[in-house]
Amino acid sequence: MANTLALRVNGRDVEVHFDDPDMPLLYALRDELGLHGPRFGCGLGQCGACTVHVDGKPARACITPVSALAAGQSVLTLEGLGTPERPHKIQQAFIDEQAVQCGYCINGMIMQSAALLETQPSPSESDIRAALAQNLCRCGTHQRIVRAVARAARA
Amino acid sequence: MNQMLSRRTLLQAAGALVVSFTLVPRGADAKTVAADEVDAFLAIDTQGLVTVYSGKVDLGTGVRTALTQIAAEELDVPLARVNVIEGDTALTPDQGPTYGSLSIQNGGMQIRRAAATARAALLRLAAARLGVSEADLLTADGAVRPRAGGEGIGYGALIGAGGFALKLDKDAPAKSPDSYRVVGTSVARLDIPDKVTGRFTFMQDVRVDGMVHARVVRPPALGATLLEVDETSVQAIPGMIKVVRVGSFLAIVAESEWGAIRGARALKARWSDWQGLPEQARLWEHVRATKVVKDDVTSDVGNAPAALAAGAKRLAATYDFPIHTHGSIGPSCAVAELRDGRLTVWTASQMTHALRKQIAAMLGMKPDDVRCIYVEGAGCYGRNGHEDAAGDAALLARETGRPVRVQWSRADEHGWDPKGPPTLIDLEAALDADGNVTAWHSNFFVPQGAAGNVPLVAADLAGLTHETAMAPGNIIQNSALPYAFPAIRTVCHRLETTPFRPSWIRTPGRMQNTYANECFLDELAAAAGADAIALRRRYLKDPRGLELIERLVALSKWQPRPSPARGQAGAIQRGRGVSYVKYELVRTYIGAVAEVEVDRASGRIHVARVFVAHDCGQIINPDGLRNQIEGNVIQTVSRVLKEELTFDRGAVTSLDWASYPILTFPEAPEVVIDLIDRPAEKPWGAGEPSAAVIPAAISNAVFDATGVRLRSVPFTPARVKSALGTI
Ligand code: FES
Ligand code: FES
């Protein structure tokens, strides 16, 4: 692999290696770092399944070329947010509301709403819906997801 | 027998999670998968841990938790001591594909029977061991104990390392529902903590040692054949392993996933021209002109043609329902490895046992040499692309000699998963002078075929052995009516072909048929000046159905009056619509009321709320059931308002979420559910039924709001506006 990039992923210093600077970050996270949180849904920036935070801001890893990142930038994935043993309050709220069907989209839902609550700690229901308007769920879990985010906001 | 169990272990290897599955012995040592053997369904180890082997799989609906509950309940063991292994052809019995809302109704009941048989055997063993009568013993907490108190014996100690070696006993005493502690409660889904923290292993996460990555390169037109490939076009891409070409099957194999993607994009190939699809704008003419190979008369009561002719008022209408794609949010993926003449395929297939035979046939192997192992993928609502990705991976494993992971792109998924076929329905009915329905005659135009194996894309493109019959699912169900009209004739004209490889998508046929039936019934109610629910009650003779309607009326606060609602001023018109069905006329009862707002200027329909009354008999997990119903409702609102496959003469053109939009958060309705629990009854299916009533409830609500009848799904703003313009 011709290129190397030093990143901070979920609080750990890591190096990712790549030949093609256009390679999306998603493949570095999933294939090189073995992370399962960010998911491949469309590769087109349309569904949100791949969402991570780059320096605290939500980003679609499927359309973020590795070359767009600078050395030392920090990336947070679903794994870095919390664990089954120590879930983040949003993850806990998704558990409490049983806001999952297949769960494939849920990475995006949680990462996007975690970012929402950072900037807007008490969103209304329509704020939540608007914030998730570009995140797709095929199972129809919308009602529970909205409730989970509202619950997390109250927590 | 515990040593024989295959355990999935997660290995941390080279920074990536690698899933490994131990080899399973074959021949005399193999675990039985015979569906009449207790040992096929469950095993208890010396520690008393229970492993349930389920041929039905969790497609993202939580059925695994429900099956765990059923087994724990019937065996009287704590939930935490039950583990479920799903859909592994070497380990789990063939319980048929996971479709048709049968996982609990059939699959779960087989597991319940196996557990009841096992529990009876454990009681017998303990009675002999303790020298007491079985009547003096009880089972609790994974042990058999004297009723009088005192030391019991744990199941692990009773059964030891041996199996039960018993046939399923249909007379084994099942626990009385009165004594249930776990079934009927909202046990939290077992998979959710891992799924919300990234610890869950989806199919798309499976990695095996030495694995390489592939992308398929499909023909630009469905029937095009591959003429020429320019391999030099991908030579410069680092990590390129091979361009695989078998007939018109084409794929790129590379060391890295991104390398495979780049290769698939860069590969230059020449294909023949093919224009075999009908013109989309004339799809319904095409369907009507397709040769009918047989008629299925699904009900025939009285003399419908004569009664129609004699009616005081006659109505006729045509409904159509477009071609839909499954649209799983994660495109299909599979991993296959061929080693020492044995093929292992990791797949999210809903039918691993059938898939194994399909793959064996494609590759000319013995089915015994193929093992398919289920790993959960993104939500699956019918036969989508999973099996095809598995076929791709199997063929590529053979062609490369390496373990191969095939990940479909979004365009592969939207373009090449099998489709829900187009459905066209003509209806006629008559009313007498008092507004009674005197005749009903419907004609459905749907492809021939039933449920079965959908041919694998890889086998088709490569010219290898594959099925040639169509398998659209059991799509003639619910063409007949749950109502007792004096004269009824319902006929399904089975078409020789349909434009795209068909398969089933959630509620196949039952959705389309119920949509037409329940909309047209609403037309009759309006023509008779009757309340839509009153008209249904008049012809519904089934007390359980009538009770459900009562509950729905109360839940939705239904006000009896004819439609449309009169006197609405303003830009937004509101309406409510009802729809009812008894699923396949033999099981789950469902009714829905939709409340809609129609924006006359934009033509936008907002489905604000949907009320659902649901009776599927015994409920295993009420919250799980609600989750499933909410999903059915919201997904179907999406299908009805927005979804329609688009295509040109050669291929699908709706290849992403921009061209095949689905419902978004601001558009999703509130779903309000009333569950009718009947613990003493059989549990019926719930995976599909509630979806069946949604399209008509919406169309009827739009009529109530606007006086305009929508008969063509999807109800897009453009269609609504043009319909409103014709008032
Ligand atoms: S996978 Fe990145 S937006 Fe869909
Ligand atoms: S839960 Fe399955 S796609 Fe959202």
Side-chain angles (χ1 to χ4, degrees):
Chain A
M1 300 268 174
N3 309 295
T4 300
L5 176 67
L7 291 174
R8 211 168 156 72
V9 177
N10 297 332
R12 276 196 321 160
D13 289 321
V14 298
E15 276 190 353
V16 298
H17 309 272
F18 53 95
D19 294 308
D20 179 10
D22 289 340
M23 181 180 84
L25 174 63
L26 182 66
Y27 298 97
L29 298 175
R30 288 182 52 77
D31 293 337
E32 197 169 352
L33 303 179
L35 293 166
H36 289 191
R39 313 214 56 78
F40 171 69
C42 65
L44 304 164
Q46 294 176 337
C47 75
C50 61
T51 305
V52 298
H53 293 180
V54 176
D55 286 342
K57 299 229 164 36
R60 299 209 159 176
C62 75
I63 49 166
T64 304
V66 275
S67 56
L69 288 127
Q73 272 196 295
S74 67
V75 176
L76 182 75
T77 74
L78 192 62
E79 289 94 335
L81 205 60
T83 62
E85 297 73 29
R86 294 175 58 87
H88 181 276
K89 69 173 182 176
I90 295 190
Q91 292 168 321
Q92 185 61 51
F94 273 70
I95 297 170
D96 293 340
E97 292 290 338
Q98 294 284 290
V100 172
Q101 286 187 59
C102 76
Y104 200 92
C105 69
I106 293 298
N107 168 69
M109 303 301 172
I110 291 179
M111 297 310 286
Q112 193 68 36
S113 27
L116 169 72
L117 296 189
E118 286 294 322
T119 54
Q120 207 178 343
S122 311
S124 67
E125 181 181 324
S126 60
D127 292 336
I128 297 170
R129 286 176 182 254
L132 294 174
Q134 309 295 320
N135 285 69
L136 300 178
C137 172
R138 183 53 160 167
C139 294
T141 318
H142 303 68
Q143 173 161 300
R144 285 172 183 243
I145 292 169
V146 171
R147 286 193 187 141
V149 179
R151 175 191 277 258
R154 292 192 307 267
Chain B
M1 77 182 279
N2 192 44
Q3 306 84 287
M4 290 168 35
L5 305 186
S6 165
R7 292 280 181 206
R8 187 192 304 185
T9 49
L10 290 172
L11 306 173
Q12 193 81 35
L17 282 172
V18 176
V19 178
S20 85
F21 296 77
T22 50
L23 283 179
V24 173
R26 295 200 299 174
D29 286 343
K31 176 193 172 293
T32 179
V33 293
D36 60 345
E37 293 280 343
V38 172
D39 295 332
F41 290 97
L42 45 97
I44 300 177
D45 73 6
T46 51
Q47 305 302 307
L49 293 172
V50 178
T51 303
V52 173
Y53 299 95
S54 174
K56 301 284 189 193
V57 299
D58 196 332
L59 299 172
T61 66
V63 93
R64 183 162 177 264
T65 303
L67 295 175
T68 307
Q69 284 176 263
I70 290 171
E73 181 71 68
E74 207 59 37
L75 277 171
D76 276 325
V77 295
L79 267 180
R81 296 178 75 76
V82 179
N83 181 38
V84 179
I85 290 180
E86 306 163 280
D88 180 336
T89 57
L91 298 173
T92 62
D94 184 356
Q95 295 183 278
T98 304
Y99 63 20
S101 301
L102 297 168
S103 294
I104 299 296
Q105 181 174 330
N106 290 359
M109 292 308 96
Q110 280 177 302
I111 288 169
R112 180 177 280 174
R113 182 167 296 165
T117 309
R119 190 170 150 276
L122 290 161
L123 276 166
R124 277 198 303 278
L125 285 169
R129 186 86 66 89
L130 296 170
V132 297
S133 124
E134 283 174 48
D136 294 330
L137 296 171
L138 55 79
T139 52
D141 230 10
V144 185
R145 301 175 200 283
R147 283 186 189 274
E151 274 295 282
I153 312 179
Y155 291 169
L158 276 173
I159 195 78
F164 287 92
L166 286 172
K167 298 280 181 206
L168 292 197
D169 177 3
K170 66 176 182 359
D171 300 321
K175 283 180 68 173
S176 156
D178 307 339
S179 66
Y180 283 171
R181 300 157 299 113
V182 180
V183 162
T185 65
S186 292
V187 167
R189 283 257 305 267
L190 303 168
D191 50 337
I192 288 182
D194 283 0
K195 283 180 172 173
V196 299
T197 53
R199 194 170 286 178
F200 193 80
T201 299
F202 283 99
M203 178 62 236
Q204 286 84 351
D205 301 316
V206 169
R207 304 285 185 269
V208 302
D209 280 334
M211 189 185 85
V212 295
H213 292 267
R215 289 276 161 144
V216 291
V217 181
R218 298 297 194 213
L222 297 181
T225 53
L226 182 54
L227 303 174
E228 201 181 346
V229 182
D230 173 11
E231 296 199 17
T232 61
S233 56
V234 296
Q235 252 168 14
I237 296 172
M240 197 53 48
I241 295 173
K242 195 170 177 179
V243 176
V244 173
R245 176 184 179 177
V246 185
S248 292
F249 176 87
L250 186 61
I252 289 281
V253 184
E255 295 291 348
S256 73
E257 185 166 13
W258 184 245
I261 295 168
R262 288 177 79 195
R265 286 180 186 167
L267 187 66
K268 289 205 175 72
R270 215 156 60 73
W271 302 85
S272 70
D273 192 32
W274 185 85
Q275 302 244 321
L277 290 172
E279 205 183 314
Q280 176 157 22
R282 305 173 69 170
L283 175 64
W284 301 114
E285 284 169 56
H286 170 85
V287 168
R288 216 174 263 290
T290 305
K291 185 176 166 198
V292 173
V293 290
K294 71 163 176 163
D295 283 348
D296 289 317
V297 178
T298 50
S299 63
D300 201 12
V301 177
N303 186 338
L308 266 179
K313 193 177 211 176
R314 286 179 66 166
L315 280 85
T318 293
Y319 285 80
D320 58 63
F321 197 101
I323 305 169
H324 278 168
T325 208
H326 294 80
S328 281
I329 215 75
S332 298
C333 179
V335 174
E337 175 171 28
L338 182 61
R339 193 195 284 176
D340 304 329
R342 291 169 71 182
L343 182 73
T344 306
V345 184
W346 291 268
T347 170
S349 166
Q350 60 169 217
M351 42 204 302
T352 47
H353 279 279
L355 175 65
R356 167 205 204 196
K357 292 184 196 132
Q358 281 191 291
I359 289 176
M362 172 177 82
L363 297 180
M365 295 175 70
K366 290 202 292 288
D368 271 355
D369 290 331
V370 180
R371 177 183 180 191
C372 292
I373 299 172
Y374 179 72
V375 187
E376 201 176 317
C380 166
Y381 324 99
R383 201 302 198 174
N384 59 9
H386 288 315
E387 286 77 8
D388 297 304
D392 295 338
L395 182 55
L396 287 166
R398 184 184 81 178
E399 294 300 310
T400 59
R402 306 270 301 265
V404 181
R405 174 178 184 268
V406 175
Q407 168 68 68
W408 278 18
S409 69
R410 174 50 54 200
D412 293 335
E413 190 72 29
H414 268 51
W416 288 84
D417 77 327
K419 307 300 179 194
T423 305
L424 182 67
I425 306 123
D426 292 334
L427 305 107
E428 282 180 281
L431 297 168
D432 68 14
D434 301 323
N436 295 305
V437 181
T438 53
W440 178 285
H441 189 186
S442 54
N443 290 285
F444 299 78
F445 298 88
V446 290
Q448 62 176 325
N453 287 345
V454 176
L456 298 175
V457 172
D460 182 20
L461 292 175
L464 299 169
T465 304
H466 63 88
E467 298 81 353
T468 50
M470 295 193 294
N474 206 347
I475 53 177
I476 65 175
Q477 294 283 2
N478 284 123
S479 52
L481 300 171
Y483 305 108
F485 301 139
I488 306 171
R489 187 172 166 83
T490 58
V491 186
C492 294
H493 305 289
R494 310 306 298 274
L495 308 178
E496 186 172 41
T497 59
T498 188
F500 294 86
R501 183 175 62 129
S503 80
W504 44 97
I505 302 181
R506 187 170 276 171
T507 323
R510 294 81 150 181
M511 176 182 289
Q512 289 82 349
N513 304 343
T514 303
Y515 147 67
N517 290 343
E518 287 291 302
C519 284
F520 193 56
L521 186 57
D522 209 72
E523 296 201 40
L524 297 183
D531 173 66
I533 283 189
L535 188 81
R536 283 170 173 79
R537 276 188 177 134
R538 202 186 305 167
Y539 296 101
L540 193 54
K541 302 300 171 199
D542 181 336
R544 214 163 143 176
L546 285 164
E547 185 185 336
L548 182 118
I549 295 277
E550 287 311 317
R551 298 273 288 252
L552 183 62
V553 164
L555 181 72
S556 66
K557 302 195 170 59
W558 181 270
Q559 297 301 318
R561 58 167 174 77
S563 285
R566 296 284 170 206
Q568 294 198 53
I572 306 285
Q573 294 183 311
R574 294 186 171 77
R576 60 41 185 324
V578 66
S579 171
Y580 162 86
V581 83
K582 180 177 182 181
Y583 206 57
E584 298 172 350
L585 301 183
V586 295
R587 47 191 183 132
T588 306
Y589 297 80
I590 335 97
V593 169
E595 292 181 347
V596 304
E597 295 161 1
V598 182
D599 180 338
R600 290 188 66 93
S602 69
R604 241 187 98 246
I605 298 171
H606 177 54
V607 178
R609 265 201 292 188
V610 179
F611 299 93
V612 178
H614 195 277
D615 173 2
C616 60
Q618 182 186 87
I619 296 171
I620 308 299
N621 184 320
D623 188 63
L625 176 57
R626 284 177 187 276
N627 200 355
Q628 170 84 62
I629 294 169
E630 289 169 22
N632 281 342
V633 171
I634 293 171
Q635 184 183 80
T636 310
V637 170
S638 177
R639 290 176 68 178
V640 170
L641 294 189
K642 311 192 85 152
E643 297 180 32
E644 178 175 34
L645 190 89
T646 64
F647 51 93
D648 59 22
R649 301 302 295 270
V652 176
T653 52
S654 46
L655 293 173
D656 64 8
W657 294 121
S659 50
Y660 191 92
I662 61 173
L663 206 69
T664 63
F665 272 88
E667 300 165 313
E670 181 192 356
V671 184
V672 184
I673 299 166
D674 184 14
L675 298 181
I676 302 173
D677 190 13
R678 300 183 189 277
E681 299 288 339
K682 279 202 270 281
W684 283 326
E688 298 169 331
S690 49
V693 288
I694 302 307
I698 297 171
S699 174
N700 296 345
V702 171
F703 177 77
D704 188 55
T706 63
V708 155
R709 184 70 61 184
L710 298 178
R711 301 190 185 91
S712 236
V713 170
F715 306 153
T716 57
R719 283 194 179 155
V720 173
K721 272 205 292 196
S722 103
L724 285 170
T726 62
I727 286 186

